[in-house]
């Protein structure tokens, strides 16, 4: 019984607890219901109030549009206050537009102060409320401007509306209330405008303008109208002028406005009067002086990513081209600012593609984020940058150099102006002999004379300008050729710059620049930059000039001057290598892109008058070089300088061949560098000995030389005289590379099938090699053709009619390589352009197909270059970017570019047409044949063995020298 009472008690307590919980839950539901009802009632009340306010606003604007009566400023203020109270960007967009129009209409009313919206600023009770309201309205205008697209018609109208609001209420010039007696109120009203503008600036006004300008101008054709662009630029300028060009406002203007792509170009096109305003405020000078302080320039560059920094640079350059006086007065600051900005961009310029790089149409591979939305505006940006290397700015910046006169020795007779081409080898040799003889006396200023202090203001100014252009070349990688072309446009700049270089230091010449290489000082780097720029530009000039311009017109330099300059550069580079200046540095970082490519007289020696030389010591800043402790570039220009006799001493006298051979045997680094990069300073006959020595060493290594203890492996082949080519091809093409280099014995079989008597002790093989080469190079076989005029050989474009023609060319390459390998002279005169391809010169970025074209067809070359000089409209000739060829009786049209037969040749693309045509004739037509022959040749002869020879020298290695017999030499 006791347990039963306990059980009922527990049940009672449990029921009581459940009842309490139910009552608590009921109360919670009631409280939640009341709260929900309150929220819903509040929401509905708010929605009802918003509907009522919006209906009231609609009624107000509807009555205003009907024109029944003019609304007072107070009524506009009150309705605006209500609209702003419930304002939502999406729902109230049209109502806000009507409000803006209503406010602007009130400002246009004549002689009714109560209607003018701005009149409320004079009310003691409403002044602060009105100022807050107009601030809110104007910022809402800014918010809408960020979202609008000026290229859409409807949006462009709204852009004009919001800009008009901003223009009207940030300046008092259009306020009718200030006319007449109201003029006394102008200072107070100006203060209110400054207050409003300050508020907008704090909220991000310049960012809004930048977005709007970028949306409207960062394209090939601007979508902003003249009025819109004028308004935007006026708005951007007002805070700067009001703050009396304070540093903070100048910084914002530079970062947000001047970094808009090509904005100065658009101003000049659409609203040139804005440029007059810039000039009246002397803004260009203020920009340059602000950025001339390194910390401030760095701050601006860091705030802008690479593309926008480049845009700012372009706008500054364009402004500089319009302000000659300021540019002349502030040259040092202008140059310094551009160097700093280019150096900042250069830090992110990469040499190759990677996961961390992006493609930039001007900078190349760029390791910073690239705004691809700016790509459309890059052509306009490039046009702005072109002013930097345009004639006008070069004349201003290099005024100290260009003002000098090059005095010539009056006793020197002018060189004959008879036409000279690489085909006329004897006149060419005589021409350079006479040039060398005269080089000691003509234009004394071109000789290293010294006398000018390197720390003088004049020298430092020129050095800074050279650093600027050198930095431009290494930063703007994708328009490098444009820059070089602009720098070489003035014919007198390079010779006068060289004259300036010759005057530097106490004695001038090599000593000064060799000291610069050993001194890691800022002054040394700047002096080297001058030499780098001179050589880069000179190399480019010689590359783009044709033979007439070099030999007859002698543009920029006379031939005797080329001799003087080449002598200096040859000695400079030789001493740099031989004296160990580069030996102590990281040789792996030394890349010398050196190619010798000549045409014409096969008896001419290697000539290197144009070393486009850039040299930077370890630790140089980014302004000089983008990578590596030491970068040296040596280039020669293909084709122009082939007619120089060995009597012209371009060799370095300090270099003894015996010493060089000894150092090469000991694997000394300096001897290897010398042979690899400037072999032309070594006489040709010594290089031939080196080549034969290399071949002998390889034969010994491969066991191809007979010794007392071993004999080399011998390959025996049987050749029918009636089928010499076929048998040779079948039996030799299958041999391994080492077997081809080894001993090959030939047994001939006559027409009756009987073995010919005799033992092959190299004589029979030599006969076989000479005969088979004679057969394969016979033009009648159509594997090779002869050039017009001097009848030199090159692969036939129609050789594809032969079955397995590529295998035949590879076999020919092996046979030619075997002849050179064994020192067997064969009478095969090759065209110069083909020898250049055999040497690999055509892979150089500075190789010019046009320079080599005379070695293929001199008449065709003359016709092409006549197009270059054609004064009229070239389109009248009816040419297209195609080449029509008669192939075995059928006319075949080859397009030089895709769709070329429909693209006319015009004055704008005629230079491209000339280069495309030359490239097609000498490369595209015979590309596969040449590649096959080179593959066979290099299987026997290593490319590095013949790298030390020029094209004419390679011909001499293949066919021997055609010099006259030396009877004295035969006595020994």
């Amino acid at each position: 019984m006791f347990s039963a009472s306990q059980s009922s008690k527990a049940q009672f307590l449990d029921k009581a607890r459940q009842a309490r919980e139910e009552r608590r839950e009921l109360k919670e539901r009631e409280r939640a219901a009341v709260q929900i009802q309150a929220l819903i009632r509040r929401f509905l009340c708010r929605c009802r109030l918003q509907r009522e306010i919006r209906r009231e606003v609609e009624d107000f604007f509807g009555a205003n549009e009907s024109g029944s009566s003019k609304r007072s400023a107070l009524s506009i203020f009150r309705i605006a206050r209500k609209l702003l109270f419930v304002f939502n960007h999406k729902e109230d967009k049209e109502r806000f537009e009507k409000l803006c129009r209503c406010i602007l209409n009130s400002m246009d009313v004549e002689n009714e102060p109560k209607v003018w919206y701005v009149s409320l600023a004079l009310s003691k009770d409403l002044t602060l409320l009105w100022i807050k309201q107009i601030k809110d309205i104007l910022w809402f205008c800014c918010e809408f401007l960020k979202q609008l697209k000026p290229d859409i018609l409807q949006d462009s109208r709204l852009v004009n509306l919001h800009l008009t609001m901003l223009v009207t209420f940030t300046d008092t010039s259009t306020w009718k209330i200030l006319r007449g007696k109201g003029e006394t109120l102008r200072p107070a009203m100006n203060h209110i405008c400054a207050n409003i503008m300050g508020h907008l600036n704090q909220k991000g006004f310049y960012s809004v303008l930048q977005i709007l300008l970028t949306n409207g101008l960062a394209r090939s054709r601007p979508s902003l109208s003249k009025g819109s662009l004028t308004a935007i630029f006026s708005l951007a300028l007002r805070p700067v002028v009001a703050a009396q060009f304070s540093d903070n406002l100048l910084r914002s203007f530079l970062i947000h406005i001047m970094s808009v792509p090509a904005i100065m170009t658009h101003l000049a096109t659409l609203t040139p009067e804005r440029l007059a305003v810039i000039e009246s405020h002397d803004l260009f000078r203020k920009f340059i002086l602000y950025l001339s302080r390194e910390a401030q320039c760095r701050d601006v560059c860091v705030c802008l990513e690479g593309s926008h920094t480049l845009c700012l640079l372009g706008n500054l350059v364009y402004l500089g081209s319009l302000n000659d006086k300021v540019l002349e007065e502030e040259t040092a600051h202008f140059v310094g600012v551009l160097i700093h900005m280019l150096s900042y961009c250069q830090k992110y310029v990469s040499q190759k593609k990677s996961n961390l790089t992006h493609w930039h149409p001007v900078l190349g591979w760029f390791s910073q984020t690239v705004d691809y939305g700016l790509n459309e505006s890059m052509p306009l940006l490039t046009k702005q940058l072109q002013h930097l290397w345009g004639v006008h700015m070069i004349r201003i910046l290099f005024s100290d150099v260009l003002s000098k006169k090059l005095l010539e020795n009056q006793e020197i007779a002018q060189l004959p102006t008879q036409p000279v081409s690489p085909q006329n080898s004897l006149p060419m040799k005589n021409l350079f002999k006479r040039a060398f003889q005269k080089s000691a006396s003509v234009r004394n200023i071109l000789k290293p004379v010294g006398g000018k202090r390197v720390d003088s203001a004049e020298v430092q100014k020129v050095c800074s300008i050279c650093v600027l252009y050198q930095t431009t070349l290494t930063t703007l990688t994708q328009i490098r050729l444009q820059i070089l072309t602009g720098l070489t446009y003035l014919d007198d700049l390079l010779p006068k710059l060289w004259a300036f270089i010759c005057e530097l230091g106490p004695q001038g010449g090599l000593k000064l620049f060799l000291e610069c290489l050993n001194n890691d000082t800022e002054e040394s780097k700047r002096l080297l930059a001058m030499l780098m720029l001179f050589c880069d530009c000179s190399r480019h000039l010689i590359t783009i000039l044709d033979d007439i311009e070099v030999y007859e017109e002698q543009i920029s330099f006379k031939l005797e001057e080329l001799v003087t300059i080449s002598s200096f550069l040859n000695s400079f580079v030789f001493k740099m290598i031989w004296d160990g200046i580069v030996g102590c540095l990281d040789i792996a970082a030394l890349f010398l892109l050196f190619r010798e490519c000549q045409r014409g007289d096969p008896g001419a020696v290697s000539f290197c008058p144009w070393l486009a030389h850039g040299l930077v010591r370890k630790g140089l800043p980014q302004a000089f070089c983008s990578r590596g402790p030491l970068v040296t570039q040596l280039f020669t220009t293909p084709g122009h300088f082939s007619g120089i006799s060995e009597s012209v001493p371009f060799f370095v006298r300090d270099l003894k061949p015996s010493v060089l051979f000894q150092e090469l045997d000991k694997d000394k680094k300096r001897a290897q560098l010398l042979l690899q990069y400037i072999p032309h300073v070594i006489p040709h006959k010594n290089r031939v000995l080196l080549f034969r020595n290399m071949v002998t060493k390889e034969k010994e290594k491969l066991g191809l030389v007979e010794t007392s203890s071993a004999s080399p492996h011998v390959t025996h082949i049987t050749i029918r005289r009636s089928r010499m080519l076929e048998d040779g091809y079948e039996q030799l093409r299958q041999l391994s590379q080492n077997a081809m280099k080894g001993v090959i014995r030939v047994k001939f079989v006559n027409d009756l099938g009987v073995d010919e008597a005799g033992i092959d002790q190299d004589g029979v093989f030599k006969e076989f090699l000479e005969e088979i080469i004679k057969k394969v190079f016979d033009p009648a076989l159509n594997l090779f053709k002869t050039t017009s005029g001097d009848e030199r050989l090159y692969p036939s474009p129609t050789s594809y009619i032969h079955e397995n023609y590529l295998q035949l060319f590879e076999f020919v390459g092996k046979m030619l390589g075997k002849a050179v390998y064994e020192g067997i002279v064969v009478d095969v005169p090759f065209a110069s352009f083909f020898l250049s391809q055999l040497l690999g010169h055509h892979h150089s970025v500075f190789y010019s197909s046009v320079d080599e074209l005379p070695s293929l067809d001199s008449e065709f070359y003359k016709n092409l270059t006549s197009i270059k000089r054609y004064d009229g409209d070239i389109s009248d000739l009816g040419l297209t970017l195609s080449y029509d060829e008669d192939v075995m009786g059928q006319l075949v049209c080859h397009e030089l570019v895709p769709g070329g037969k429909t693209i006319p040749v015009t004055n704008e693309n005629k230079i491209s047409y000339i280069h495309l045509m030359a490239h097609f004739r000498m490369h595209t037509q015979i590309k596969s044949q040449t590649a096959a022959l080179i593959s066979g040749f290099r299987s026997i002869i290593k490319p590095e063995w013949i790298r030390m020879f020029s094209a004419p020298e390679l011909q001499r290695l293949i066919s021997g020298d055609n010099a006259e017999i030396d009877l004295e030499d035969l006595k020994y």
Side-chain angles (χ1 to χ4, degrees):
M1 183 163 181
F2 180 75
S3 60
S5 64
Q6 285 181 335
S7 176
S8 61
K9 181 179 179 181
Q11 292 176 355
F12 175 77
L13 292 174
D14 187 52
K15 289 180 180 179
R17 185 175 65 256
Q18 290 178 359
R20 285 196 302 272
E21 290 177 354
E22 288 176 357
R23 289 193 298 272
R24 185 169 59 254
E25 289 177 359
L26 181 61
K27 289 181 180 179
E28 288 292 335
R29 285 197 295 270
E30 289 177 351
R31 185 167 57 253
V34 171
Q35 188 174 0
I36 290 172
Q37 288 174 1
L39 289 172
I40 292 175
R41 284 196 298 270
R42 185 167 62 186
F43 173 75
L44 293 174
C45 181
R46 191 164 58 247
C47 290
R48 185 169 55 253
L49 178 61
Q50 289 175 350
R51 286 196 299 271
E52 291 175 357
I53 290 175
R54 288 189 173 106
R55 190 180 303 114
E56 183 180 351
V57 171
E58 290 288 351
D59 293 341
F60 179 86
F61 292 135
N64 188 60
E65 289 175 359
S66 65
S68 57
S69 61
K70 296 177 182 178
R71 300 293 184 176
S72 66
L74 185 59
S75 64
I76 296 175
F77 171 78
R78 288 171 179 169
I79 204 66
R81 193 175 185 186
K82 292 181 179 180
L83 178 60
L84 294 177
F85 177 71
V86 299
F87 186 75
N88 180 278
H89 279 83
K90 292 183 178 179
E91 295 184 23
D92 299 312
K93 181 179 178 181
E94 292 185 4
R95 297 181 184 89
F96 184 77
E97 294 168 11
K98 293 178 180 178
L99 173 63
C100 291
R101 289 192 175 92
C102 184
I103 291 173
L104 291 174
N105 290 336
S106 73
M107 296 294 291
D108 290 336
V109 176
E110 295 289 343
N111 301 322
E112 293 194 36
K114 292 184 179 181
V115 178
W116 296 330
Y117 177 71
V118 75
S119 64
L120 298 178
L122 303 178
S123 171
K124 293 182 180 179
D125 298 331
L126 299 176
T127 299
L128 295 179
L129 293 175
W130 180 85
I131 292 174
K132 183 181 183 306
Q133 185 180 94
I134 194 61
K135 286 180 180 179
D136 292 339
I137 291 174
L138 294 182
W139 182 245
F140 284 140
C141 288
C142 294
E143 292 285 347
F144 280 115
L145 284 173
K146 286 196 293 185
Q147 303 170 8
L148 296 173
K149 305 295 182 184
D151 53 333
I152 301 175
L153 180 60
Q154 182 60 33
D155 281 9
S156 66
R157 294 172 180 170
L158 296 179
V159 166
N160 291 334
L161 173 65
H162 297 311
L163 286 176
T164 306
M165 282 291 295
L166 288 165
V167 169
T168 302
F169 291 100
T170 55
D171 186 78
T172 61
S173 58
T174 60
W175 293 3
K176 294 182 174 63
I177 197 172
L178 299 180
R179 294 177 182 175
K181 296 180 180 180
E183 188 65 33
T184 56
L185 302 173
R186 190 172 295 278
M189 296 294 102
N190 285 337
H191 183 72
I192 291 175
C193 286
N195 188 312
I196 295 171
M197 186 58 76
H199 170 78
L200 295 177
N201 284 336
Q202 291 179 356
K203 299 270 286 185
F205 180 59
Y206 274 113
S207 297
V208 173
L209 296 183
Q210 182 183 23
I211 293 172
L212 182 60
L213 285 169
T214 303
N215 289 338
L217 300 180
R219 54 189 65 243
S220 55
R221 296 182 61 183
S223 56
L224 286 174
S225 64
K226 175 181 178 179
S228 298
L229 185 56
T230 302
I232 295 171
F233 198 77
S234 298
L235 287 169
L237 205 54
R238 281 177 182 175
V240 180
V241 176
Q244 296 182 347
F245 309 99
S246 67
D247 284 353
N248 287 337
L249 270 301
L250 280 175
R251 175 182 181 275
S252 296
F253 193 90
L254 286 166
I255 291 174
H256 297 289
I257 306 303
M258 290 297 292
S259 66
V260 174
I263 185 173
M264 293 296 112
T265 300
H266 292 300
L267 286 175
T269 304
L270 297 176
T271 171
E273 58 272 12
R274 292 299 96 191
L275 290 179
V277 173
I278 293 176
E279 186 175 357
S280 66
H281 289 298
D282 204 13
L283 271 181
F284 176 61
R285 189 193 304 273
K286 291 179 173 63
F287 291 154
I288 294 303
L289 292 178
Y290 175 83
L291 293 171
S292 64
R293 285 166 277 182
E294 187 175 345
Q296 294 175 340
C297 187
R298 188 186 308 113
D299 171 54
V300 170
C301 291
V302 170
C303 291
L304 300 170
E305 57 91 21
S307 292
H308 288 283
T309 301
L310 200 61
C311 293
L312 172 59
L313 180 70
N315 286 318
L316 290 175
V317 169
Y318 187 80
L319 274 182
S321 68
L322 301 177
N323 293 269
D324 294 356
K325 182 180 178 182
V326 177
L327 191 61
E328 291 170 1
E329 295 172 356
E330 304 294 343
T331 298
H333 290 138
F334 176 74
V335 169
V337 167
L338 296 194
I339 290 174
H340 191 94
M341 296 176 71
L342 286 167
S343 300
Y344 174 80
C345 291
Q346 192 185 84
K347 290 192 299 184
Y348 302 98
V349 175
S350 179
Q351 299 298 321
K352 59 183 179 179
K353 179 182 180 181
S354 71
N355 294 332
L356 301 176
T357 59
H358 308 272
W359 178 254
H360 192 283
V362 175
L363 300 169
W365 291 112
F366 200 66
S367 58
Q368 246 189 0
T369 303
V370 173
D371 186 353
Y372 292 104
L374 302 181
N375 281 1
E376 278 191 64
S377 61
M378 285 300 120
L380 286 175
L381 171 61
T382 303
K383 287 184 178 179
Q384 283 189 318
L385 293 172
Q386 285 172 354
H387 288 282
L388 181 58
W389 49 87
V391 173
H392 182 69
M393 193 166 290
I394 286 177
R395 288 192 184 279
I396 294 176
L397 296 182
F398 281 107
S399 58
D400 292 342
V401 174
L402 293 172
S403 61
K404 297 182 178 297
K405 292 184 178 181
L406 296 179
L407 300 177
E408 298 187 11
N409 193 322
Q410 299 298 325
E411 297 179 0
I412 300 300
Q414 190 172 359
L415 286 172
T417 58
Q418 61 180 5
V420 180
S421 72
Q423 311 304 323
N424 302 325
S425 59
L426 185 58
M428 181 67 65
K429 293 164 64 175
N430 294 335
L431 192 65
F432 275 100
K433 283 182 183 179
R434 299 162 82 179
F436 184 82
Q437 293 166 359
K438 295 179 180 180
S439 63
S441 55
V442 75
R443 279 194 186 172
N444 293 328
I445 197 170
L446 289 183
K447 296 173 60 179
V449 294
K452 192 183 292 292
R453 291 180 60 87
V454 294
D455 58 352
S456 64
E458 180 188 10
V459 173
Q460 292 302 309
K461 176 184 176 183
V462 176
C463 285
S464 296
I465 295 167
C466 292
V467 171
L468 167 62
Y469 284 110
Q470 197 62 34
T471 310
T472 305
L473 288 170
T474 54
T475 305
L476 310 181
T477 59
Q478 300 309 297
I479 54 175
R480 178 183 172 88
L481 293 181
Q482 291 185 33
I483 300 169
L484 289 170
T485 302
L487 290 171
T488 55
Y489 185 82
L490 287 176
D491 292 343
D492 58 341
L493 176 61
L494 290 180
K496 289 182 177 180
L497 182 59
W498 176 253
F500 190 86
I501 291 173
C502 290
E503 294 179 347
L504 299 178
Q507 296 177 344
L510 292 176
K511 186 177 180 181
L512 172 66
F513 289 100
L514 289 174
E515 289 175 353
C516 289
L517 290 175
N518 287 307
N519 297 329
D520 192 17
T521 62
E522 189 64 30
E523 183 181 273
S524 297
K525 299 169 188 175
R526 293 160 68 87
L527 287 171
L528 285 173
M530 188 186 306
L531 185 61
M532 290 164 59
L533 182 68
F534 169 79
C535 294
D536 276 340
C537 293
S538 301
R539 176 205 57 218
H540 179 75
L541 177 66
I542 296 300
T543 300
I544 62 177
L545 295 180
D546 57 40
D547 287 350
I548 295 175
E549 292 167 327
V550 172
Y551 297 126
E552 298 180 23
E553 299 176 4
Q554 299 187 26
I555 292 178
S556 290
F557 291 103
K558 294 185 177 181
L559 296 180
E560 55 268 21
E561 295 169 352
L562 298 181
V563 174
T564 302
I565 296 170
S566 72
S567 177
F568 170 87
L569 294 176
N570 278 333
S571 300
F572 178 70
V573 180
F574 169 75
K575 288 184 176 295
M576 179 186 70
I577 295 176
W578 199 250
D579 294 347
I581 295 176
V582 298
C584 60
L585 302 176
D586 182 10
I587 299 300
L590 174 67
F591 64 91
L592 294 157
L593 300 177
F594 181 77
R595 296 292 182 268
E596 284 190 87
C597 195
Q598 276 138 11
R599 58 188 187 211
D601 174 29
V605 302
S606 172
F607 179 48
C608 180
W610 278 115
L611 297 174
H613 174 76
L615 182 140
V616 184
R617 268 187 62 88
K618 186 176 182 179
L620 286 182
Q622 295 293 328
F624 290 85
C625 179
S626 60
R627 57 183 292 192
L630 175 67
V631 178
T632 307
Q633 292 178 323
L634 301 177
F635 289 99
T636 51
T637 302
H640 282 312
F641 304 101
S642 58
I644 303 171
S645 164
E646 284 193 4
S647 62
V648 182
F650 283 107
F651 311 120
V652 177
R653 297 177 181 178
D654 298 340
L655 179 63
K656 295 182 179 180
S658 58
V659 176
L660 177 66
F661 292 167
Q662 291 174 7
E663 297 214 355
L664 285 173
D665 290 337
K666 297 177 182 178
D667 291 330
K668 291 292 184 69
K669 182 62 67 176
R670 68 176 185 175
Q672 294 173 355
L673 288 173
L674 203 65
L675 187 62
Q676 184 176 359
Y677 301 123
I678 52 171
H680 59 277
V681 301
I682 307 167
H684 174 254
K685 61 181 180 181
N686 297 113
R687 279 178 279 144
V688 173
L689 291 175
L690 283 172
F691 171 77
R692 299 311 322 168
N693 189 38
M694 292 175 185
V695 173
T696 302
K697 284 185 177 180
E698 187 186 74
K699 285 184 175 182
E700 292 174 351
K701 183 179 179 180
L702 297 175
L704 303 178
V705 179
E706 180 122 17
T707 63
S708 58
S709 58
S711 297
H713 173 75
V714 178
T715 302
H716 295 276
I717 60 174
T718 302
I719 302 296
R720 293 170 291 179
R721 281 200 179 272
S722 60
R723 296 182 59 84
M724 188 179 296
L725 178 58
E726 294 82 353
D727 289 352
Y729 172 72
E730 289 297 330
Q731 296 186 52
L732 294 178
R733 72 185 183 92
Q734 303 295 339
L735 294 181
S736 67
Q737 181 175 326
N738 287 348
M740 278 295 298
K741 292 181 178 182
V743 179
I744 301 175
R745 300 300 185 198
V746 178
K747 180 181 286 293
F748 281 120
V749 177
N750 62 23
D751 295 340
L752 299 177
V754 179
D755 292 351
E756 294 184 1
I759 299 175
D760 186 0
Q761 293 295 330
D762 294 335
V764 179
F765 175 73
K766 180 180 178 183
E767 179 190 355
F768 161 73
L769 195 60
E770 290 173 344
E771 287 296 323
I772 202 169
I773 286 179
K774 182 179 179 181
K775 288 181 180 293
V776 295
F777 285 104
D778 186 354
L781 188 61
N782 198 36
L783 279 178
F784 288 84
K785 287 184 66 175
T786 57
T787 61
S788 61
D790 54 359
E791 296 187 347
R792 292 183 172 268
L793 294 166
Y794 69 97
S796 171
T798 57
S799 56
Y800 58 81
I801 63 173
H802 291 280
E803 186 178 0
N804 300 327
Y805 72 102
L806 293 181
Q807 288 84 347
L808 279 172
F809 273 103
E810 186 176 3
F811 171 71
V812 171
K814 289 180 179 180
M815 292 296 96
L816 185 63
K818 179 66 172 176
V820 175
Y821 193 79
E822 300 296 344
I824 299 173
V825 175
V826 291
D827 186 16
V828 184
F830 287 111
S832 177
F833 80 90
F834 178 70
L835 290 168
S836 296
Q837 296 184 43
L838 200 59
L839 289 166
H841 293 168
H842 60 294
H843 293 305
S844 169
V845 294
F846 296 99
Y847 176 83
S848 173
S849 298
V850 177
D851 288 337
E852 294 278 16
L853 188 57
S855 66
L856 172 66
D857 190 336
S858 58
E859 193 63 32
F860 186 72
Y861 170 77
K862 290 179 181 178
N863 293 336
L864 269 186
T865 52
S866 67
I867 293 175
K868 176 181 176 180
R869 293 174 173 78
Y870 188 75
D871 293 332
D873 188 353
I874 201 69
S875 59
D876 295 339
L877 301 181
L879 300 173
T880 61
L881 295 182
S882 61
Y883 173 66
D884 294 329
E885 182 185 21
D886 185 0
V887 180
M888 292 179 287
Q890 293 185 350
L891 191 64
V892 178
C893 178
H894 303 281
E895 292 186 331
L896 304 180
V897 296
K901 62 183 179 182
T902 62
I903 302 175
V905 177
T906 63
N907 288 338
E908 287 73 28
N909 65 7
K910 65 180 182 182
I911 300 298
S912 297
Y913 169 74
I914 293 171
H915 284 271
L916 287 170
M917 183 67 79
H919 183 77
F920 176 81
R921 287 291 307 275
M922 293 189 298
H923 299 275
T924 307
Q925 271 192 315
I926 57 173
K927 182 178 180 180
S928 56
Q929 294 94 322
T930 302
L933 188 145
I934 290 175
S935 174
F937 184 79
R938 289 182 176 176
S939 68
I940 308 297
I941 302 296
K942 295 181 180 179
E944 55 268 26
W945 289 353
I946 58 174
R947 193 173 294 157
M948 56 183 165
F949 299 112
S950 65
E953 290 171 339
L954 180 60
Q955 181 66 66
R956 294 167 68 183
L957 195 65
I958 295 171
S959 302
D961 203 338
N962 59 358
E964 296 179 0
I965 297 175
D966 189 344
L967 296 178
E968 293 297 323
D969 185 56
L970 292 176
K971 294 178 181 179
Y972 299 98

